[in-house]
Amino acid sequence: MSHKILVAQGGGPTAVINQSLVGVALEARRFSTISHVYGALHGVRGIVNDDLVDLGQETVANLEAVAATPASALGSTRDKPDLKYCQEIFKVLKAHDIDTFMYIGGNDSSDTVRIVGEEAKKAGHAMRAIHIPKTIDNDLVGFDHVPGFPSAARFVAQAFAGANLDNAALPGVYCAVVMGRHAGFLTAAAALARKYPSDGPHLIYLPERTFVVDKFLADVKDVYERYGRCIIAASEGIHDETGEAIITKLVGKSEKDAHGNVQLSGTGALADLLCEEIKNKLGIKRVRGDTFGYLQRSFSGCVSKVDQREAREVGEKAVQYAALGAESGSVGIRRVGDYAVDYPLIPIETVAGKTRVMEPELINAAGNDVTDAFLAYARPLVGSDMPEVAQLRKAKVAKAGVLQGDAT
Amino acid sequence: MSHKILVAQGGGPTAVINQSLVGVALEARRFSTISHVYGALHGVRGIVNDDLVDLGQETVANLEAVAATPASALGSTRDKPDLKYCQEIFKVLKAHDIDTFMYIGGNDSSDTVRIVGEEAKKAGHAMRAIHIPKTIDNDLVGFDHVPGFPSAARFVAQAFAGANLDNAALPGVYCAVVMGRHAGFLTAAAALARKYPSDGPHLIYLPERTFVVDKFLADVKDVYERYGRCIIAASEGIHDETGEAIITKLVGKSEKDAHGNVQLSGTGALADLLCEEIKNKLGIKRVRGDTFGYLQRSFSGCVSKVDQREAREVGEKAVQYAALGAESGSVGIRRVGDYAVDYPLIPIETVAGKTRVMEPELINAAGNDVTDAFLAYARPLVGSDMPEVAQLRKAKVAKAGVLQGDAT
């Protein structure tokens, strides 16, 4: 019996999500039992609209170029199917004789895979549904880490490495806001920017801890007095003790997506708010804020080679699992060495709709930095070829003694 | 007679400003007539504070590592010396027997070089003052282009290439704000991101043209109707017909620096304002804004090789001009081929305190894009190794005809 695969991409794009797509498309060519690989345009929406493309008609050269291109090449969607939506999906899958559905995405997308798989079973439709992981948030339960995160982490680390140098040259306070609604992994990656003892980020605020404005200001004051400057990494998802996002204190009306999430990205409001607090309460003059925004997930030309390879491999493994007759599941990533991984097929229920947050041992006691355990965890992911930075050793020249106040 | 060089770095850092510093430090080692190369910490402020370091005590390996590091390794300043400040500078330079002052910086720094040079002449102090160019704004009069701009342009192009793909995957309006107070070169570099006909940025707004909100909204509407999405590059310096910056319409109180400039960077307000206008007036739901902020001038790991080489060469040439007995001046960059440059020493008066803006032939008639002449000008600067992006060719699968409304 020959297999027909349909693959789609869901949720926010990443720098390596097309590696997984191309992993599926190319690996399938090795199996005579796989007759077709179709792609759906804009995720599950492309299925219910019957907007499919034949990936068998793509050239290898172009597929390889697409693999190296950030953001979902098939297009993506934020749609989250309900039962009715799922039945529409079936109708189209059945009409095209698709027996294997692969969805590349994060926890919302993995939940879609679960629903589609369950409904297929109920309907007596012999179809496997395989989840291929991706998310810059790194928040999939059951995973050591998730493709897309290492490249985004690398972007954040390179950004803070540069910001630290810029801030050392023209001292002041610099506060940058990083993506991550519930999980602080990406914000924590800012710590990978540090090399010399006085390097920033000096303070890292994660959504796993309550953000207390007065404590924040005391932290900034302390660092500023010590170094004459201060670099802060703050997650967009930081919230007060009631769980209310700090950003909603500023933004009156909030925009929500289909998953009921408040819009956190695509606005510079949080960084501006934090900077205003520092200026007004601490009286520091030079305070600057940045919001890394969409750059951190789709900047062209900043990718971790480790991430690239692993994203390709999860796509390949998905096809191998399907061709070898495995049931539905999620292609997992398990760390088996320092540094080495393998890709077990894990039950979709482990992942679907759940959110991993940073484990307590990765966050320092004060809740304003990461631990060495986090550095050991994250360092291998961003690749061994991070850009190097260096300082002058600055051998002092003896003062000429012509200034007022010099001891001459 | 042996020479003593003092070198300093002024103004905003760039990705390659340390190439010029290291060019000075290493090239000086070739000349037995040069006894010392000192560096001043934090620009001219380091001179008046007599905070000098001996670059002769740096190792070659560390200097090369510093050269590859973004942001001013000696530290920088926004101080602009007046006559009294200059007299303090002299006092220190004289006390250390410095006969050659080199200042790596933009148009404010070149004006400092002019003032110091003139005051030295008046005081009968035999000292040459050489300006070594750098600025991401590319706004020095008399230059083909300025070191620092090509790397920043590359960052902007890579950022828009990624943003374009992200926006194609999850369609909507995306508006990113780019640095550039008076000169639009860096914002214009967004155009280098385009490859396929429908690629963004679709609209580019420069400070060289009046920004009319109604015209802007009409432009966005038009693009959105054509492509179902729209990518906008806007300079932070866009202003209305009275010359008032669009951002000051939003930000009530404005912060000014020592040069009387309103703070434009380090806040996401302008992007947020433009996005609000689009949401409210055009009724488009998914509208996202980013402000590239400090990343564009100091991101670690995004550099043009052309820029790297040229920044090194202007430092080397400054030393050669000094060693060969040239008078004061600015190390120019002249394009002598497609693509090749040379480095004439040009009169400091050509550059000092003046601002180049984009020539009319580089901007399209509608004032919302660049011309092919700009692309031909800018393309060689970012280097021939820009990251490639690619699209799937998307061979359509015939619809199964199971959907309502299908012609079955």
Side-chain angles (χ1 to χ4, degrees):
Chain A
M1 178 206 155
S2 80
H3 298 293
K4 261 180 128 168
I5 296 173
L6 179 75
V7 60
Q9 297 173 307
T14 77
V16 297
I17 187 169
N18 293 327
Q19 291 284 354
S20 300
L21 177 71
V22 170
V24 170
L26 290 181
E27 185 67 1
R29 296 182 181 195
R30 289 209 302 129
F31 293 90
S32 60
T33 50
I34 297 173
S35 66
H36 293 87
V37 180
Y38 289 169
L41 301 182
H42 294 287
V44 284
R45 185 176 297 190
I47 308 180
V48 297
N49 290 339
D50 202 355
D51 270 340
L52 310 184
V53 297
D54 183 2
L55 295 175
Q57 295 181 48
E58 297 286 337
T59 63
V60 172
N62 198 53
L63 284 173
E64 288 295 355
V66 167
T69 300
S72 319
L74 285 172
S76 191
T77 183
R78 293 282 183 194
D79 284 3
K80 184 163 180 175
D82 56 14
L83 184 58
K84 190 168 167 297
Y85 201 111
C86 276
Q87 287 165 344
E88 291 293 305
I89 288 177
F90 280 146
K91 213 190 282 178
V92 175
L93 294 183
K94 221 167 175 175
H96 285 285
D97 292 322
I98 304 294
D99 69 333
T100 303
F101 168 52
M102 296 183 175
Y103 206 23
I104 309 169
N107 32 26
D108 285 325
S109 301
S110 67
D111 206 32
T112 297
V113 171
R114 180 187 62 78
I115 296 168
V116 170
E118 284 175 2
E119 292 305 317
K121 201 170 278 177
K122 279 186 210 162
H125 180 50
M127 195 192 71
R128 68 171 63 80
I130 296 182
H131 169 239
I132 300 172
K134 78 84 216 171
T135 170
I136 64 166
D137 294 332
N138 202 42
D139 61 352
L140 297 192
V141 171
F143 283 71
D144 178 76
H145 63 279
V146 186
F149 167 68
S151 294
R154 188 180 164 112
F155 181 92
V156 168
Q158 290 184 211
F160 273 96
N164 172 64
L165 293 159
D166 195 301
N167 181 264
L170 287 170
V173 174
Y174 176 81
C175 177
V177 170
V178 182
M179 279 183 175
R181 189 179 299 273
H182 302 296
F185 291 101
L186 193 55
T187 305
L192 298 173
R194 297 191 288 235
K195 175 176 172 177
Y196 297 98
S198 66
D199 280 352
H202 308 97
L203 299 167
I204 299 176
Y205 297 99
L206 307 163
E208 284 81 358
R209 294 289 177 268
T210 296
F211 186 85
V212 181
V213 174
D214 288 347
K215 173 70 167 53
F216 164 71
L217 291 171
D219 286 350
V220 174
K221 186 165 181 283
D222 180 57
V223 170
Y224 193 77
E225 283 171 359
R226 206 166 351 138
Y227 299 118
R229 64 192 194 94
C230 180
I231 308 241
I232 303 150
S235 163
E236 63 181 6
I238 53 171
H239 54 79
D240 67 14
E241 68 285 1
T242 71
E244 192 192 5
I246 300 298
I247 192 174
T248 60
K249 293 183 173 250
L250 178 72
V251 182
K253 57 183 186 329
S254 58
E255 185 183 323
K256 293 189 180 181
D257 68 12
H259 303 290
N261 295 322
V262 173
Q263 184 201 332
L264 297 181
S265 299
T267 162
L270 179 57
D272 289 351
L273 167 72
L274 296 174
C275 288
E276 280 304 308
E277 281 291 314
I278 295 167
K279 276 188 203 177
N280 296 340
K281 304 280 171 60
L282 298 183
I284 298 171
K285 199 166 172 241
R286 190 169 188 276
V287 182
R288 299 290 184 264
D290 273 341
T291 304
F292 291 169
Y294 291 94
L295 302 187
Q296 61 205 307
R297 77 180 190 196
S298 56
F299 187 76
S300 170
C302 181
V303 68
S304 151
K305 283 178 189 167
V306 172
D307 197 20
Q308 243 173 352
R309 186 186 67 229
E310 292 177 352
R312 176 68 74 105
E313 287 188 285
V314 290
E316 291 180 12
K317 291 305 293 180
V319 170
Q320 292 178 13
Y321 283 126
L324 298 173
E327 286 295 307
S328 296
S330 177
V331 181
I333 298 189
R334 184 168 57 189
R335 195 179 298 219
V336 295
D338 188 12
Y339 172 80
V341 294
D342 67 13
Y343 305 102
L345 191 68
I346 61 179
I348 191 71
E349 294 73 24
T350 308
V351 190
K354 292 175 187 161
T355 300
R356 173 188 177 189
V357 296
M358 288 180 70
E359 291 73 22
E361 63 268 25
L362 304 180
I363 304 172
N364 76 343
N368 60 11
D369 205 340
V370 298
T371 59
D372 286 350
F374 175 80
L375 295 174
Y377 163 77
R379 186 88 64 194
L381 304 182
V382 295
S384 56
D385 59 343
M386 286 287 284
E388 293 266 9
V389 301
Q391 290 179 354
L392 292 170
R393 295 213 170 82
K394 294 181 183 163
K396 290 276 154 74
V397 173
K399 286 187 192 271
V402 293
L403 301 178
Q404 288 185 342
D406 276 6
T408 49
Chain B
M1 178 206 158
S2 80
H3 298 293
K4 260 179 130 170
I5 295 175
L6 179 76
V7 62
Q9 297 173 307
T14 77
V16 298
I17 188 169
N18 293 329
Q19 291 286 354
S20 300
L21 176 70
V22 170
V24 170
L26 290 181
E27 185 66 4
R29 296 181 181 195
R30 290 210 301 129
F31 293 90
S32 60
T33 50
I34 297 173
S35 66
H36 292 86
V37 180
Y38 288 170
L41 300 183
H42 295 287
V44 285
R45 184 177 298 190
I47 308 180
V48 297
N49 290 340
D50 202 355
D51 270 339
L52 310 185
V53 297
D54 183 2
L55 296 175
Q57 296 181 48
E58 297 287 338
T59 64
V60 172
N62 198 51
L63 283 173
E64 288 294 355
V66 167
T69 299
S72 319
L74 286 172
S76 190
T77 182
R78 293 281 183 194
D79 283 4
K80 183 163 180 174
D82 56 14
L83 185 58
K84 186 167 171 298
Y85 200 112
C86 275
Q87 287 165 343
E88 292 293 304
I89 288 177
F90 278 147
K91 212 189 282 178
V92 175
L93 294 183
K94 221 167 174 174
H96 285 285
D97 292 323
I98 304 294
D99 70 333
T100 303
F101 169 51
M102 295 182 176
Y103 206 24
I104 308 169
N107 31 29
D108 284 325
S109 302
S110 66
D111 206 34
T112 296
V113 171
R114 180 187 62 78
I115 296 169
V116 170
E118 284 174 3
E119 293 305 318
K121 200 170 278 176
K122 279 187 208 158
H125 180 49
M127 193 191 72
R128 68 170 64 80
I130 295 182
H131 168 240
I132 300 173
K134 79 81 216 172
T135 169
I136 64 166
D137 294 333
N138 203 41
D139 61 352
L140 298 192
V141 172
F143 283 71
D144 178 75
H145 63 280
V146 186
F149 167 67
S151 293
R154 189 181 164 111
F155 181 91
V156 168
Q158 290 183 211
F160 273 97
N164 172 63
L165 293 159
D166 195 300
N167 181 264
L170 287 170
V173 174
Y174 177 80
C175 177
V177 170
V178 181
M179 280 183 173
R181 189 179 299 273
H182 301 296
F185 291 101
L186 192 56
T187 306
L192 298 173
R194 297 191 289 235
K195 175 176 172 178
Y196 296 98
S198 67
D199 279 354
H202 308 98
L203 299 167
I204 299 176
Y205 297 98
L206 308 163
E208 284 81 357
R209 295 288 176 268
T210 296
F211 186 83
V212 181
V213 174
D214 287 347
K215 174 69 168 56
F216 164 70
L217 292 171
D219 286 350
V220 174
K221 187 165 180 284
D222 179 57
V223 170
Y224 193 77
E225 284 172 357
R226 207 167 348 141
Y227 298 117
R229 64 192 194 94
C230 180
I231 308 238
I232 303 150
S235 163
E236 64 182 5
I238 52 171
H239 55 79
D240 68 13
E241 68 285 359
T242 70
E244 191 191 5
I246 300 297
I247 193 174
T248 60
K249 294 185 172 250
L250 178 73
V251 182
K253 58 187 186 323
S254 58
E255 185 184 322
K256 292 188 181 182
D257 69 11
H259 304 290
N261 295 323
V262 174
Q263 185 201 334
L264 297 181
S265 300
T267 162
L270 178 57
D272 289 352
L273 167 70
L274 295 175
C275 287
E276 281 304 308
E277 281 290 315
I278 294 166
K279 274 189 205 177
N280 297 340
K281 304 280 171 62
L282 298 182
I284 297 171
K285 199 166 173 241
R286 190 167 189 277
V287 183
R288 299 289 184 265
D290 273 342
T291 304
F292 291 169
Y294 291 95
L295 302 187
Q296 60 205 308
R297 78 180 190 197
S298 56
F299 188 76
S300 170
C302 181
V303 67
S304 152
K305 284 178 186 165
V306 172
D307 197 20
Q308 243 172 350
R309 187 187 68 227
E310 293 178 353
R312 176 68 74 104
E313 287 188 286
V314 291
E316 291 180 12
K317 291 305 293 181
V319 170
Q320 292 177 13
Y321 283 126
L324 298 172
E327 286 296 305
S328 296
S330 176
V331 180
I333 298 189
R334 184 167 58 188
R335 195 179 299 219
V336 295
D338 187 13
Y339 174 80
V341 295
D342 68 13
Y343 305 102
L345 191 68
I346 61 179
I348 191 72
E349 294 74 22
T350 307
V351 189
K354 293 176 188 161
T355 300
R356 173 189 178 189
V357 296
M358 286 179 72
E359 291 75 20
E361 63 269 26
L362 303 181
I363 305 172
N364 76 343
N368 59 11
D369 205 340
V370 299
T371 60
D372 286 350
F374 175 80
L375 295 174
Y377 163 78
R379 187 86 65 192
L381 304 182
V382 294
S384 56
D385 59 343
M386 286 286 283
E388 293 266 9
V389 300
Q391 291 179 353
L392 292 171
R393 295 214 169 82
K394 294 181 184 165
K396 288 274 154 69
V397 173
K399 286 188 192 271
V402 294
L403 301 178
Q404 288 185 341
D406 276 7
T408 51

